[in-house]
Amino acid sequence: MVDVIKKKAKEVQESLFSSVGSSVLTIGTSYLVLNFFRGMFGFVMSSDKDWLAVLNNMQLYMVQAYPESDFIRVWISVGLTFVFSGVSIGLWRSDDRSNISVMFDRFYKLGLGVLFFTIVAPTFTSYMGNDGYVITEEVFSRSSRIGMLIPVLLITVGFFLLKNRKINFSFNNSDAVFLYLSIPIALIWIIELPTIQLDQNKDRIIPDPLMPIANTTKVPWTVIFVLFLLSYFIGIYFKEVKRLKNIMSISWFLLPLLIFSWIFKKPQIEMAEVLTGDIPIFLIFFAVGLGTVLLINNPIVKKYYSIYIGVVIVATIAGVFISIPMLAKACLLLLGLFVTVVPAVSTSQQGKKSLIIIWAVALVTLTFLLRGGASETGIVVPGSSIFGGFSLTWLLAIFGTYVSFPLGVLLALGRNSKLPIVRIICTGIIELVRSVPYITWLFFASVTLAVFLPAGVEFNLIVRVLMVTAFFSGAYFAENIRGGLQSIPKGQYEAADAIGMSPFQKIGLIVLPQALRAVIPTLVSSAITAFKDSSLVTIIGLFDFLTIGKTVIDNQSVPVNFVGHQRENLIFVAVVYWIFTFTLSRRSMKIEKRLGLGER
Amino acid sequence: MKNAMKYLLFFRNVVFLKWAFQVIFLFGILSIIWNYIQNAIVNLADTNIAFSWGWLGETPGVSVAEGMYTLPNSGLQMIQTGMINMFRITLTGILAATLLGTFLGIARLSSNYIVEKSSTGLLEVVRNVPLLVQIYFFQAFVLSFPRLEVFEVGEYFIHISAKGLAFPWFNRGPNAYLLMVYTLIVIYIANKIYKWRVELLEKEGRDTKPFLWSLGILGSLLVIGWYGGFRAAGVFGFLAGYISLGLESVPAIVYQGLVSGVAIYIGFKVTKAFIDSKKSEEAQGIYSDDDYFKIILNVVVVLLIVLLMFSSIGAGFAGFLVGDEITFKADWGLPQLFHGIENKLDWYPHIDLEIYEVIEGMKKAEITNWLIKPGDNITEGQVVATAYATGNKIDTQEVELKAEYTGKVESLIVEEGKAIKIGIPFYELEVTDAAPFVFSRPKVEKVNETSKFKRYAKGHGKSLSVGYFAIWLGVVLYTAIFISEVVRAGIMAVSKGQSEAGMSLGLRRGALLRLVVLPQAIRVMLPPMGNQYLNLAKNTSLGIAVAYPEIVAVGQTLYNQEGQTLPVFLIWMAFYSSVSLTISSIINYYNRKMKIVER
């Protein structure tokens, strides 16, 4: 035992006090860090902060003015996301197992952290009042410190002992996620937090009554958790089905579209439009696709196939400029993609069959989504848009990435192209877009873009922001992807040429898969930047997550006065952003490791 | 092969298809752009806001919160104020972020557990929270302090209130630029002497004490400078005066010709070098279609530049260079620049004294009686003129304008009986007696005797506005975190053998880092570092969120006033593009300079 302590002491001495400079650094940094934590604790606990400004406005934060009568749509969206995650976690469940002592170790470290806080937390805190005098108050009394210290100490010691006992029990790492998640779900039903109650005169009742945290949300969250768990088991059950994994990947791509166009939006559909517009367009395009697949092996068709592709591409470009239904434009674009892929895939009867099925499914999905997205929303809110708060931030982040990614690929290919004019134009676009800050482009979207649109065409500000974001993030994505393109050895291109691949096949099947794989980490960090940058829309007056925290709640005086509680809300906003970006960046590091990038 | 190509049908010819596609692509893009421009013309005609640059010359009816011209004479002056405010953040920010980032990067590699963990913690927090949220938080932090009015009048050491942050500072006097230039020259000389002594040491092998030598010379020259020797730097002002005189006699057409000439020369050189390279053994004088295109492109670009230079755009550009007074009333131009240098760096600097706010609410002053004439020697505090003070909220009354410095009156800019706004210069003074820098502590004062409002006194210490503080701290911290990652990666890229070799030579940790590791790491660090500087420059545009008047905020104020959104947007684009280009070319220059010379 003495040896162990000696060894530990030596380690500490070597790490912290190896030299005079190191000791000074250690003490100085510890002083700073300790004071930082004490200051934070005092800040959080001091009586001039009102954290109810955050708790009481959770609804505003999440969906802004979305009407309460339609909240079921929000819950369905959240639930669907969790069900999808559950199935995916189940499907891709790794076989990594950990000993139970790992979990105990985690709880032990958590206990140590809480213990540290309990010990260093300041008894008194002071802040400057409005009159310029410093007010000091007790925030953590001795009795509550001791009252906390003893149970925390007991729990920590308990976990320490458990951790060091060799228990022969291991669990799957994915299962642990559900165990950890079940803790907050259980806590919702147990822990009580204050909620603001008003008396007849609309005055706040002090002290605020204790209520289980958000009575309205505990049932939905529990249901969602149960569904999450069920879908996890479903995922595990179908783990071996390879096709399901592919379907799941595509579904993840479609899920946000579905949520934002059908579930969150509550489209109002006119049957006449569907019957006269959607169904005929669908049938025509399906017939064209079907014909293409069936006749591809006909020698005459084969001979003039490249002309056919050219006609389709020209029609697609022309379609952008003439006024035909949105659905027809989108279908033309899809057809353009389809006809370029057909010759490569339809070599066998089996391939033809699946091509037809894919074509039908894709068209149905497209029609379905566009009908939802293009219809009037049935949700009435004050203000210009039903999206607000976190739902708007999420919309901007996801759709910004959706639209900008393909654009980025195209720009990168253009910049890497052998055709000089194409290269010059793409380089010009990328450099011009990148050299100007994002906020300037946002102003462009909000005030200048309307000038360039044909008279009578007006887009919602959110749509205009999305258009500009597509170009902005697209240019950044393009630079990342260009890095990937340059990392591909020339031999790959030559090999593709040698086996007689067409340029489209070469890029789609050989170049892009390798290039994108090489730059996944940078792409993720670009996506994270895009997510963080979405907060800039605050400046042009959209009601995103940050605006709610910064402006809306700070100006709220009815029914409860929250004026002057901006810092609490900003900290909350920062924490939420932090959780998302931190998780994303950690995931990307894991992916990087799994792909073995950067290692040879 | 070549013959075979001849008999190919043209639509089967790869070269033809390639160029046909590109021409179609180009025309497609051009037609889209043309389409949008047409839309813009129609839409602007509908809204009765014709696209124009005239507003740049008109006096905007708004003021700027802080900066060079708080009451700008013209739109261009206002934009100039925004640009300079942007540079204030960018330049100091780059310096601070580099220092802090290097420190944090080294801290992250430290073997000290606490130092390493806390710097990593800081990194994870700052990196994962949007910059805007951080900036808002800093702003809210300062704004949560009490208003300035609750504090007693008097001097403080460090003061923070809802009005901003104030701390002791060496404030620049009229002679400050002389002393700064002098100091730079002295540092240059000391550096040269250090190098010379080191060379001597290497040649002769005896201890030549390079450090002591350079330090001694630096110290003694600085002491001489402080006691009046700094006026030696006035030689630059003297030279600048003649340069400005010379430049003023150059007509605008010379600049237009000069730029076209340079374009033609460079175009010719590049094309010739290209053609020569084709004549080499490997190329065998065969030109591909791409090579022809390259040559044609060079010619077209040069022709375009020449055409542009002799169009109205080129004339406007040259007008800027020669400093035409017609162009938007701003003092922009090379002669003006050198004239400014002459004023600041003359043996005795010349300054323009501006009308200041004698009583609260005063907006304009009408000089009633000059008490001085050119050539007079005046002392600080002497009454130079009497004037009627006018303003919206005050009664017209007579006030006395006092001299701010001791010196010799050069000229009177404003005639008697003419009303001018606050902030406009009214006489020119050759300052004979003033300290280069004045150390002072911040002071809270009443706006005037009867007012209940207070402010930080001008010239006492340094006070930062809330916006400046928030945006500066925000971008510096955010960029420093990314720079620390760059520094860490750079240091880790230096192979371990290098530091082991250094250690085996007996170098200490500090010397090892300074002499062996960092010089090699800098090569890896430079390109990503340049990216971070670019990001910093672009992120300063968030100043608009905290009401800091940098160029985007100023531009927004202007287009709200004038309705000219498109020109403002073009100015933003031109400004940021040139800033980006400048920063990246500086970085590229250093990158080339730092490159290992390979055999």
Side-chain angles (χ1 to χ4, degrees):
Chain A
M1 194 65 193
V2 179
D3 286 348
V4 174
I5 291 172
K6 263 190 182 165
K7 206 176 141 201
K8 272 271 169 204
K10 194 153 192 279
E11 268 175 28
V12 169
Q13 196 253 327
E14 262 170 22
S15 151
L16 301 182
F17 305 104
S18 60
S19 67
V20 180
S22 181
S23 311
V24 170
L25 266 181
T26 306
I27 292 164
T29 321
S30 317
Y31 178 78
L32 277 180
V33 170
L34 266 183
N35 266 332
F36 176 74
F37 279 128
R38 283 165 67 91
M40 277 310 278
F41 187 83
F43 177 85
V44 170
M45 300 297 289
S46 75
S47 65
D48 71 329
K49 310 289 178 306
D50 190 355
W51 290 94
L52 284 171
V54 176
L55 274 181
N56 210 48
N57 284 307
M58 214 40 89
Q59 191 177 321
L60 257 180
Y61 265 125
M62 289 305 142
V63 287
Q64 205 218 348
Y66 200 81
E68 232 162 290
S69 52
D70 277 300
F71 267 10
I72 184 70
R73 294 176 169 276
V74 181
W75 286 117
I76 291 175
S77 311
V78 178
L80 261 181
T81 318
F82 268 93
V83 167
F84 270 55
S85 325
V87 174
S88 308
I89 297 174
L91 278 178
W92 278 278
R93 190 169 93 135
S94 67
D95 293 328
D96 296 346
R97 298 183 77 80
S98 319
N99 195 283
I100 190 93
S101 63
V102 174
M103 193 184 280
F104 288 141
D105 186 50
R106 238 167 242 178
F107 285 119
Y108 162 67
K109 277 182 181 153
L110 194 71
L112 269 188
V114 178
L115 198 64
F116 173 75
F117 262 107
T118 323
I119 293 168
V120 304
T123 315
F124 294 97
T125 184
S126 45
Y127 57 91
M128 205 183 263
N130 276 333
D131 46 5
Y133 290 102
V134 174
I135 300 165
T136 304
E137 58 176 12
E138 193 179 41
V139 284
F140 198 50
S141 66
R142 180 172 297 175
S143 56
S144 58
R145 191 195 297 268
I146 292 170
M148 248 186 100
L149 208 58
I150 293 169
V152 172
L153 194 68
L154 283 179
I155 291 171
T156 314
V157 169
F159 277 118
F160 179 71
L161 293 177
L162 275 174
K163 161 179 107 105
N164 283 352
R165 177 160 296 209
K166 298 276 174 284
I167 300 171
N168 207 2
F169 178 79
S170 64
F171 60 90
N172 189 296
N173 282 344
S174 305
D175 296 348
V177 174
F178 291 86
L179 187 72
Y180 294 142
L181 262 183
S182 69
I183 297 172
I185 296 293
L187 286 182
I188 291 182
W189 293 84
I190 301 165
I191 289 188
E192 308 209 327
L193 282 173
T195 319
I196 289 173
Q197 299 273 300
L198 303 172
D199 63 10
Q200 289 95 336
N201 305 331
K202 298 270 178 198
D203 286 332
R204 202 164 146 175
I205 299 173
I206 296 173
D208 303 312
L210 282 177
M211 274 173 64
I213 173 173
N215 257 343
T216 46
T217 59
K218 69 180 177 187
V219 177
W221 277 122
T222 316
V223 171
I224 285 172
F225 178 73
V226 171
L227 285 174
F228 188 35
L229 203 63
L230 278 179
S231 53
Y232 175 59
F233 288 126
I234 292 171
I236 295 174
Y237 187 77
F238 290 107
K239 197 170 175 354
E240 301 310 318
V241 188
K242 192 134 193 267
R243 187 177 286 246
L244 201 61
K245 284 190 180 175
N246 293 340
I247 291 176
M248 225 30 229
S249 308
I250 297 169
S251 309
W252 265 117
F253 179 73
L254 291 174
L255 180 68
L257 294 168
L258 180 76
I259 286 177
F260 286 128
S261 68
W262 275 87
I263 304 177
F264 204 86
K265 199 178 168 199
K266 194 181 181 181
Q268 287 187 327
I269 299 150
E270 283 179 32
M271 274 327 274
E273 266 183 45
V274 178
L275 289 175
T276 56
D278 296 357
I279 293 178
I281 291 173
F282 167 75
L283 288 176
I284 290 167
F285 275 94
F286 180 68
V288 171
L290 190 69
T292 315
V293 176
L294 291 180
L295 296 173
I296 184 76
N297 288 340
N298 188 316
I300 304 168
V301 174
K302 236 180 182 171
K303 194 173 171 191
Y304 294 107
Y305 196 75
S306 51
I307 294 173
Y308 174 54
I309 293 180
V311 169
V312 170
I313 289 172
V314 168
T316 311
I317 295 167
V320 176
F321 293 104
I322 55 175
S323 67
I324 50 170
M326 195 61 204
L327 180 62
K329 291 183 189 181
C331 285
L332 266 172
L333 190 66
L334 205 62
L335 186 68
L337 286 176
F338 185 67
V339 293
T340 44
V341 184
V342 164
V345 185
S346 63
T347 43
S348 67
Q349 209 60 33
Q350 183 64 35
K352 276 187 179 181
K353 213 171 129 192
S354 40
L355 258 183
I356 292 169
I357 293 171
I358 288 170
W359 181 234
V361 170
L363 274 185
V364 167
T365 322
L366 189 69
T367 317
F368 183 72
L369 287 177
L370 262 185
R371 176 41 60 208
S375 301
E376 287 288 310
T377 168
I379 288 170
V380 187
V381 289
S384 61
S385 159
I386 60 162
F387 295 102
F390 198 70
S391 68
L392 177 62
T393 297
W394 215 217
L395 175 91
L396 291 174
I398 289 179
F399 278 81
T401 320
Y402 261 46
V403 191
S404 55
F405 184 70
L407 196 70
V409 173
L410 285 182
L411 283 173
L413 287 173
R415 195 172 178 174
N416 236 25
S417 150
K418 277 195 209 114
L419 310 174
I421 293 181
V422 176
R423 193 172 59 227
I424 290 169
I425 289 174
C426 286
T427 313
I429 291 175
I430 291 174
E431 291 304 327
L432 191 68
V433 169
R434 267 160 46 93
S435 67
V436 180
Y438 186 42
I439 183 66
T440 327
W441 287 113
L442 286 180
F443 279 125
F444 180 74
S446 78
V447 293
T448 320
L449 188 58
V451 173
F452 288 103
L453 295 174
V457 178
E458 269 180 35
F459 289 118
N460 190 302
L461 181 55
I462 294 178
V463 179
R464 279 181 280 155
V465 166
L466 280 175
M467 285 158 81
V468 163
T469 309
F471 267 94
F472 188 77
S473 331
Y476 277 86
F477 276 131
E479 279 303 274
N480 292 339
I481 295 165
R482 192 165 71 103
L485 289 175
Q486 282 170 344
S487 73
I488 293 171
K490 220 177 166 191
Q492 295 285 331
Y493 291 88
E494 287 164 358
D497 285 336
I499 56 170
M501 280 186 159
S502 73
F504 288 107
Q505 284 175 326
K506 187 166 69 181
I507 287 166
L509 300 175
I510 306 290
V511 179
L512 273 185
Q514 297 185 63
L516 292 183
R517 183 181 171 275
V519 290
I520 283 174
T522 41
L523 287 181
V524 175
S525 68
S526 274
I528 291 175
T529 313
F531 175 64
K532 285 195 289 181
D533 277 353
S534 75
S535 62
L536 259 63
V537 295
T538 299
I539 298 172
I540 57 163
L542 284 179
F543 285 86
D544 80 322
F545 190 58
L546 175 58
T547 319
I548 305 283
K550 201 242 161 195
T551 317
V552 177
I553 296 177
D554 197 41
N555 289 333
Q556 202 179 50
S557 51
V558 182
V560 192
N561 189 356
F562 286 131
V563 175
H565 293 292
Q566 203 183 43
R567 282 174 296 163
E568 295 91 305
N569 285 298
L570 282 175
I571 285 189
F572 172 73
V573 169
V575 167
V576 172
Y577 273 111
W578 186 85
I579 289 172
F580 276 93
T581 42
F582 185 73
T583 324
L584 255 175
S585 62
R586 280 293 142 107
R587 279 316 302 175
S588 104
M589 273 157 82
K590 270 194 183 154
I591 293 172
E592 205 175 326
K593 224 176 226 172
R594 195 187 290 173
L595 290 175
L597 297 170
E599 291 163 23
R600 264 153 228 242
Chain B
M1 176 69 191
K2 251 196 162 177
N3 283 340
M5 293 285 271
K6 262 187 200 166
Y7 299 108
L8 270 178
L9 284 171
F10 72 90
F11 57 82
R12 289 271 174 188
N13 187 328
V14 179
V15 174
F16 170 78
L17 282 178
K18 182 176 152 188
W19 287 100
F21 170 73
Q22 290 191 70
V23 168
I24 291 170
F25 183 78
L26 182 67
F27 274 89
I29 295 273
L30 286 181
S31 66
I32 291 172
I33 293 173
W34 181 242
N35 184 19
Y36 284 132
I37 289 176
Q38 284 293 319
N39 285 338
I41 291 170
V42 171
N43 288 337
L44 288 176
D46 283 354
T47 49
N48 281 328
I49 306 172
F51 179 92
S52 90
W53 295 100
W55 53 274
L56 277 175
E58 285 158 23
T59 310
V62 281
S63 59
V64 185
E66 57 185 301
M68 194 171 181
Y69 302 107
T70 47
L71 288 164
N73 260 340
S74 67
L76 190 66
Q77 253 186 12
M78 189 156 164
I79 284 177
Q80 188 187 346
T81 312
M83 287 177 183
I84 289 176
N85 280 344
M86 182 266 186
F87 285 128
R88 271 169 75 197
I89 302 268
T90 309
L91 296 179
T92 54
I94 283 179
L95 199 72
T98 312
L99 291 178
L100 185 63
T102 314
F103 176 75
L104 283 173
I106 295 170
R108 285 201 64 207
L109 289 169
S110 164
S111 55
N112 188 319
Y113 180 83
I114 289 181
V115 172
E116 193 256 306
K117 281 288 171 225
S118 45
S119 52
T120 310
L122 184 67
L123 171 107
E124 289 294 2
V125 170
V126 174
R127 189 169 64 169
N128 287 322
V129 174
L131 176 57
L132 188 58
V133 178
Q134 295 180 37
I135 290 173
Y136 276 147
F137 186 79
F138 295 138
Q139 184 198 24
F141 174 74
V142 180
L143 285 181
S144 73
F145 281 90
R147 295 176 311 125
L148 195 56
E149 279 68 42
V150 307
F151 293 100
E152 299 287 323
V153 168
E155 283 199 340
Y156 291 83
F157 190 66
I158 289 179
H159 195 267
I160 183 165
S161 72
K163 207 156 199 165
L165 188 72
F167 45 85
W169 193 250
F170 291 95
N171 281 311
R172 286 198 300 264
N175 286 328
Y177 296 99
L178 277 177
L179 185 66
M180 286 195 301
V181 171
Y182 178 82
T183 313
L184 283 181
I185 297 166
V186 167
I187 290 173
Y188 179 77
I189 292 172
N191 186 31
K192 279 278 166 219
I193 285 180
Y194 181 82
K195 281 192 175 153
W196 168 61
R197 295 304 291 182
V198 168
E199 219 171 79
L200 214 62
L201 182 145
E202 280 166 359
K203 218 157 76 184
E204 300 184 358
R206 66 188 167 90
D207 188 3
T208 51
K209 299 196 173 60
F211 190 70
L212 267 183
W213 265 74
S214 61
L215 201 68
I217 285 179
L218 186 78
S220 47
L221 281 179
L222 280 183
V223 168
I224 293 171
W226 184 254
Y227 289 104
F230 65 82
R231 293 212 189 272
V235 69
F236 285 96
F238 184 71
L239 285 177
Y242 279 100
I243 295 175
S244 134
L245 267 182
L247 283 173
E248 254 161 357
S249 52
V250 176
I253 193 84
V254 173
Y255 284 105
Q256 283 161 278
L258 204 67
V259 174
S260 329
V262 169
I264 292 171
Y265 176 74
I266 292 175
F268 181 74
K269 267 253 172 173
V270 169
T271 316
K272 187 154 185 307
F274 181 68
I275 291 173
D276 284 347
S277 76
K278 283 286 154 192
K279 281 178 188 154
S280 70
E281 199 108 327
E282 298 156 45
Q284 293 179 341
I286 299 170
Y287 290 90
S288 71
D289 47 323
D290 281 342
D291 297 335
Y292 285 121
F293 175 76
K294 208 170 170 184
I295 294 166
I296 293 170
L297 188 72
N298 284 350
V299 174
V300 169
V301 167
V302 168
L303 278 181
L304 269 180
I305 291 175
V306 172
L307 270 179
L308 213 62
M309 277 328 290
F310 286 97
S311 70
S312 60
I313 297 171
F317 168 72
F320 264 126
L321 283 188
V322 296
D324 268 349
E325 284 292 317
I326 317 147
T327 44
F328 314 137
K329 288 192 216 162
D331 275 352
W332 278 29
L334 283 184
Q336 275 90 339
L337 181 72
F338 280 101
H339 189 65
I341 294 176
E342 184 199 359
N343 280 344
K344 291 218 161 88
L345 288 185
D346 208 348
W347 313 109
Y348 291 102
H350 302 239
I351 51 172
D352 289 343
L353 274 306
E354 293 161 359
I355 299 265
Y356 56 97
E357 201 174 335
V358 187
I359 48 172
E360 194 206 354
M362 173 178 156
K363 295 279 174 228
K364 278 184 177 179
E366 186 190 326
I367 306 279
T368 49
N369 194 12
W370 276 112
L371 301 175
I372 50 171
K373 58 180 187 301
D376 281 2
N377 285 316
I378 55 171
T379 49
E380 194 182 331
Q382 185 182 334
V383 179
V384 293
T386 53
Y388 282 132
T390 52
N392 301 334
K393 289 178 191 149
I394 57 162
D395 303 324
T396 306
Q397 49 187 294
E398 194 157 23
V399 291
E400 289 177 338
L401 297 164
K402 287 174 184 159
E404 288 165 75
Y405 295 104
T406 303
K408 202 170 119 193
V409 179
E410 281 278 298
S411 63
L412 305 179
I413 299 170
V414 180
E415 300 153 26
E416 280 175 13
K418 205 176 165 194
I420 48 169
K421 277 199 289 186
I422 285 173
I424 306 277
F426 67 120
Y427 70 98
E428 203 185 349
L429 185 73
E430 191 183 284
V431 182
T432 50
D433 182 27
F437 287 95
V438 183
F439 180 80
S440 58
R441 293 195 299 165
K443 185 176 159 193
V444 177
E445 65 171 16
K446 283 188 172 178
V447 173
N448 66 355
E449 286 304 313
T450 51
S451 172
K452 62 178 201 273
F453 293 109
K454 288 173 188 163
R455 66 182 172 198
Y456 290 116
K458 238 185 178 178
H460 287 262
K462 177 114 179 152
S463 67
L464 302 180
S465 66
V466 182
Y468 186 96
F469 172 77
I471 184 74
W472 193 86
L473 193 58
V475 291
V476 165
L477 202 57
Y478 196 71
T479 316
I481 287 300
F482 284 93
I483 287 181
S484 81
E485 277 294 84
V486 172
V487 170
R488 195 177 75 108
I491 291 177
M492 278 169 68
V494 177
S495 74
K496 217 176 166 191
Q498 294 287 329
S499 39
E500 281 169 359
M503 272 192 272
S504 69
L505 284 174
L507 288 176
R508 282 162 187 269
R509 256 188 89 85
L512 182 74
L513 210 62
R514 204 182 60 224
L515 297 174
V516 179
V517 179
L518 275 184
Q520 296 185 60
I522 279 176
R523 287 196 193 103
V524 188
M525 274 152 48
L526 259 179
M529 201 80 120
N531 263 337
Q532 293 310 326
Y533 291 160
L534 272 180
N535 284 345
L536 190 147
K538 282 186 272 177
N539 280 337
T540 55
S541 60
L542 291 184
I544 191 174
V546 286
Y548 178 73
E550 41 69 62
I551 183 160
V552 176
V554 162
Q556 199 204 19
T557 318
L558 268 172
Y559 75 62
N560 282 339
Q561 192 83 8
E562 314 278 347
Q564 293 284 355
T565 55
L566 211 51
V568 169
F569 187 74
L570 288 178
I571 290 177
W572 284 341
M573 253 164 93
F575 175 71
Y576 278 108
S577 306
S578 27
V579 169
S580 300
L581 263 179
T582 316
I583 294 181
S584 50
S585 36
I586 291 173
I587 288 291
N588 278 343
Y589 169 75
Y590 275 105
N591 209 8
R592 267 204 306 277
K593 215 177 139 184
M594 291 297 223
K595 237 185 194 166
I596 301 173
V597 184
E598 283 171 12
R599 268 160 292 200

